Amino acid sequence: MRFNTKLLHGGFPQDGFGSTLPPIYQSSAFFHESAEKLEKVFDNKAPGFAYTRISNPTVAAFEKRIAVIEGGVEAVSCASGMAAVSMALLNIMQSGDEIIAGSGLFGGTLDLLADLTAFGITTKYLHEVTAQVVSEAITPHTKAIFTELIGNPKLDVVDVRAVAEIAEARGIPLIIDSTTATPALIKPLAVGAHIVVHSSSKYINGSGDAISGVIVDGGKFNWDFEKFPALAKYAKFGKLAYAVRLRQDIWRNFGACLSPQNAYLNCIGIETLGLRMERLCQNALELARFLETEEGVTVNYPGLGGNPYKPLIDRQMQNGMSGAILTLRAGSKAKAFTLINALKYAKIATNIGDVRTLVIHPASTIYNHADEAQRSAAGVYDDLIRVSAGIEDIDDLIEDFAQAIKT
Ligand SMILES: *Cc1c(COP(=O)(O)O)cnc(C)c1O
């Protein structure tokens, strides 16, 4: 199956009634005909569902589809993207361990990594995530390399294959937050990443109607159970130890499960991911090309000719698609606010990946907890505006931005 076919037919569940969408099993618990049967379900010795925090047919349908689409062995869905990032890391980290991360991370992830220092887990930030810089940063305490594929909103792009080779050689898992890239642009597991996380609240859902996250394990990493003692209990599962511990331990105990209703909304959303990404990326590119010609603003978009990441985009991403986020600098915070306020179609909102165009001033919102050094390392300036392109007619978007820039 090719990509768009897989979005509709890959891992689709059969419920016996021929429903074309997975039904919403809005039930907290599932009863069984005997105590013996429930015992078996609890021990994973019989298929079945017991309790929705642990598993649910609608949630499982979403997870199965994501696993198939990303090419992983297991997908575990979460209540939010932040829960997915947290669980993906905490599944293998303990006090004294260190994470290597790109400095251009999503503001919420920066805040989370700061929270983890209270538990003895520290993060070393890299200004660029290249094979060489990563290689030099690794210490005996390093237990994970975590980075966003296309930084939000820094818009730096990681060469996944090159970084994965170093990670593999040094025995450290590469965990990629692929939210802004999506499997329509790249499947990180296929080019060597070990674990992928998504805020599926964004492009996977696609309509901005449900918060959720997902972790996908490629099942190919050779875990050293002395180096990762948290997984030792699951050593008999070998390369699947990460996925098994996640599902049977950390993830279910933290309780950040996805609701069946939101899993259902994601199952609808994901079917049009390919179509939406084509349109969103095209609109972002055309808007960026227009903004490049406007006086008074400077634009950043990895798909523009002359952008330092353009050759990598062409090599690494499907059809050279560069994502649907672009940023512009207006010269000052006051000008940025005036421009934002003058837009007619772009909604002022803290989200990305919606079908409608959204704008935000990151410094005063998603980075309001970050200090000055963190902001500049994340490419967040006082005059920066982030645009999440929507599927509107491009001529309307261009006219709208033109009049706002004049204002
Ligand atoms: C939004 C986002 C998150 C957090 O996801 P939520 O669903 O809002 O919890 C993490 N990483 C990236 C890149 C994001 O854009």
Side-chain angles (χ1 to χ4, degrees):
M1 269 191 264
R2 289 162 185 84
F3 185 70
N4 285 291
T5 311
K6 208 182 256 184
L7 290 175
L8 294 163
H9 303 287
F12 193 84
Q14 300 295 327
D15 69 349
F17 295 106
S19 65
T20 56
L21 289 165
I24 308 168
Y25 286 88
Q26 195 69 40
S27 179
S28 305
F30 298 84
F31 66 86
H32 294 275
E33 65 274 8
S34 68
E36 288 80 3
K37 175 73 194 302
L38 187 56
E39 181 185 34
K40 284 197 180 116
V41 170
F42 256 75
D43 282 348
N44 298 308
K45 290 192 174 119
F49 298 91
Y51 190 57
T52 285
R53 172 163 52 73
I54 297 164
S55 60
N56 171 285
T58 317
V59 174
F62 171 59
E63 292 173 335
K64 179 86 189 299
R65 294 176 93 173
I66 290 281
V68 167
I69 288 155
E70 281 288 15
V73 293
E74 176 83 328
V76 175
S77 59
C78 299
S80 66
M82 287 316 305
V85 173
S86 308
M87 298 298 99
L89 291 167
L90 292 178
N91 196 38
I92 46 173
M93 308 298 289
Q94 57 182 41
S95 179
D97 288 346
E98 190 178 80
I99 301 163
I100 288 181
S103 60
L105 296 179
F106 174 72
T109 305
L110 289 178
D111 291 345
L112 167 74
L113 295 176
D115 290 337
L116 292 184
T117 59
F119 302 93
I121 299 163
T122 54
T123 303
K124 188 186 275 178
Y125 290 102
L126 309 181
H127 287 265
E128 20 158 39
V129 183
T130 60
Q132 167 141 19
V133 178
V134 167
S135 174
E136 286 163 10
I138 292 171
T139 74
H141 300 290
T142 309
K143 296 295 167 65
I145 301 163
F146 180 90
T147 193
E148 285 167 28
L149 212 160
I150 304 175
N152 168 19
K154 196 176 180 186
L155 302 179
D156 51 339
V157 185
V158 171
D159 184 336
V160 180
R161 195 184 289 276
V163 176
E165 272 170 21
I166 292 292
E168 186 79 29
R170 307 285 291 273
I172 300 162
L174 174 62
I175 306 177
I176 295 277
D177 180 338
S178 195
T179 301
T180 50
T182 84
L185 273 57
I186 182 171
K187 287 170 261 315
L189 300 174
V191 286
H194 304 107
I195 289 142
V196 169
V197 300
H198 285 283
S199 165
S200 38
S201 320
K202 313 290 173 52
Y203 297 94
I204 288 174
N205 169 280
S207 296
D209 60 23
I211 299 292
S212 66
V214 64
I215 305 163
V216 191
D217 181 8
K220 293 210 179 107
F221 191 72
N222 239 329
W223 297 100
D224 170 343
F225 298 107
E226 273 175 38
K227 190 164 166 185
F228 296 93
L231 300 183
K233 192 171 143 195
Y234 299 94
K236 70 171 179 194
F237 294 100
K239 291 183 176 175
L240 302 181
Y242 179 94
V244 177
R245 187 198 187 221
L246 184 66
R247 196 174 273 292
Q248 301 203 358
D249 219 316
I250 272 279
W251 167 82
R252 74 156 71 169
N253 297 337
F254 269 77
C257 61
L258 181 60
S259 77
Q261 175 76 35
N262 285 354
Y264 169 77
L265 292 170
N266 287 351
C267 284
I268 298 177
I270 199 165
E271 298 185 328
T272 57
L273 178 67
L275 276 178
R276 281 185 285 106
M277 289 313 286
E278 276 174 30
R279 173 66 170 241
L280 291 171
C281 294
Q282 187 60 29
N283 274 2
L285 177 62
E286 287 187 36
L287 187 57
R289 281 186 180 147
F290 163 74
L291 291 168
E292 225 179 3
T293 66
E294 285 291 275
E295 272 177 41
V297 293
T298 53
V299 60
N300 184 21
Y301 181 65
L304 283 176
N307 184 288
Y309 297 106
K310 175 78 167 118
L312 175 58
I313 289 274
D314 289 340
R315 197 168 77 235
Q316 180 173 261
M317 313 301 239
Q318 182 72 27
N319 298 333
M321 285 192 284
S322 318
I325 300 175
L326 55 142
T327 59
L328 53 153
R329 296 186 64 174
S332 70
K333 180 178 176 183
K335 284 181 180 169
F337 272 35
T338 305
L339 198 164
I340 287 174
N341 293 341
L343 288 165
K344 281 189 302 198
Y345 302 126
K347 300 281 179 251
I348 309 167
T350 176
N351 195 11
I352 54 171
D354 202 332
V355 279
R356 65 211 90 240
T357 299
L358 306 175
V359 286
I360 196 164
H361 177 253
S364 62
T365 55
I366 36 184
Y367 284 83
N368 63 347
H369 293 145
D371 60 34
E372 202 41 55
Q374 279 177 317
R375 270 184 216 164
S376 75
V380 173
Y381 309 102
D382 229 24
D383 64 340
L384 187 88
I385 299 168
R386 181 187 74 188
V387 181
S388 170
I391 61 170
E392 295 92 345
D393 288 301
I394 186 61
D395 292 339
D396 285 330
L397 290 181
I398 288 175
E399 281 167 24
D400 195 16
F401 276 84
Q403 63 81 24
I405 290 166
K406 270 206 193 77
T407 306

